[in-house]
Amino acid sequence: RVEELVLLGAQKRVQPGDAIGLPQSYFDAFNELAVRHYRQKNYDSAVKLYTRLVQLKPYELGYYKGLGACYLGLERYDSAIKAYACGQYFGALDAELHYYLGLAYYFNKEIEPAFEWIRFARVLDEQDAGSDKTIAAFATQLLTRMQALVSPEQAAKMDVRP
């Protein structure tokens, strides 16, 4: 299981690529193939490829993001949540990761955690000096939409300020 591999790698302080000694070009080619399958909406094949990449190199944030995106495409929101949550170990301040984690919760109809993760993504993106603030803009739009899905009392507690 992916979660167990991540924890094992963290416990043993394995550095990227150390565990198996394969060249980076191997991972790059494998990742390109996964991306190609994803773009062709062949999500099942892309999931297999990203899962293998995570197993071989569990410290690469991009693999978790790709895996989560595939699960979103398959509408397997619980699996997307797990993939993005595992990625948090390696991208705690990655606004895009948190936005998509919130989106997975949103599609899974778990509004409260969705709201929290999307709001966190917006804050991270706003604080990133090098960001073009696209995530913040999308997050604000989605947060506003989410307010309409809850009771007026809950909506009043939601901070959707830009």
Side-chain angles (χ1 to χ4, degrees):
R1 294 183 24 193
V2 173
E3 297 94 345
E4 293 169 355
L5 288 170
V6 170
L7 292 174
L8 181 64
Q11 289 169 352
K12 294 189 176 199
R13 301 192 194 285
V14 175
Q15 295 302 310
D18 284 356
I20 52 176
L22 293 171
Q24 183 60 39
S25 60
Y26 174 85
F27 295 102
D28 294 341
F30 219 70
N31 187 53
E32 285 177 32
L33 184 60
V35 169
R36 191 172 326 130
H37 281 277
Y38 173 80
R39 287 184 180 151
Q40 294 170 350
K41 299 186 191 287
N42 188 354
Y43 300 125
D44 286 319
S45 294
V47 162
K48 291 175 185 171
L49 293 166
Y50 277 120
T51 300
R52 185 68 178 145
L53 282 164
V54 165
Q55 291 169 340
L56 293 172
K57 197 170 181 183
Y59 282 90
E60 186 64 43
L61 175 60
Y63 303 155
Y64 294 97
K65 288 163 69 172
L67 184 59
C70 293
Y71 283 132
L72 284 178
L74 289 168
E75 298 180 8
R76 291 174 51 192
Y77 305 123
D78 285 336
S79 295
I81 290 166
K82 288 178 186 174
Y84 290 127
C86 284
Q88 288 180 306
Y89 288 107
F90 314 107
L93 299 177
D94 187 292
E96 181 183 35
L97 174 78
H98 295 296
Y99 176 78
Y100 283 109
L101 175 59
L103 199 60
Y105 275 113
Y106 174 76
F107 288 137
N108 209 35
K109 300 189 182 356
E110 296 179 52
I111 301 302
E112 189 172 324
F115 183 82
E116 293 303 321
W117 287 115
I118 292 169
R119 186 170 60 179
F120 184 54
R122 182 183 66 187
V123 169
L124 288 174
D125 197 45
E126 288 171 344
Q127 293 176 352
D128 183 354
S131 167
D132 65 0
K133 310 302 183 227
T134 302
I135 298 280
F138 284 139
T140 300
Q141 290 173 7
L142 186 55
L143 289 169
T144 303
R145 267 193 246 151
M146 289 170 66
Q147 268 190 318
L149 300 174
V150 298
S151 70
E153 295 81 25
Q154 288 176 306
K157 296 177 187 175
M158 291 181 157
D159 176 16
V160 296
R161 292 176 286 154

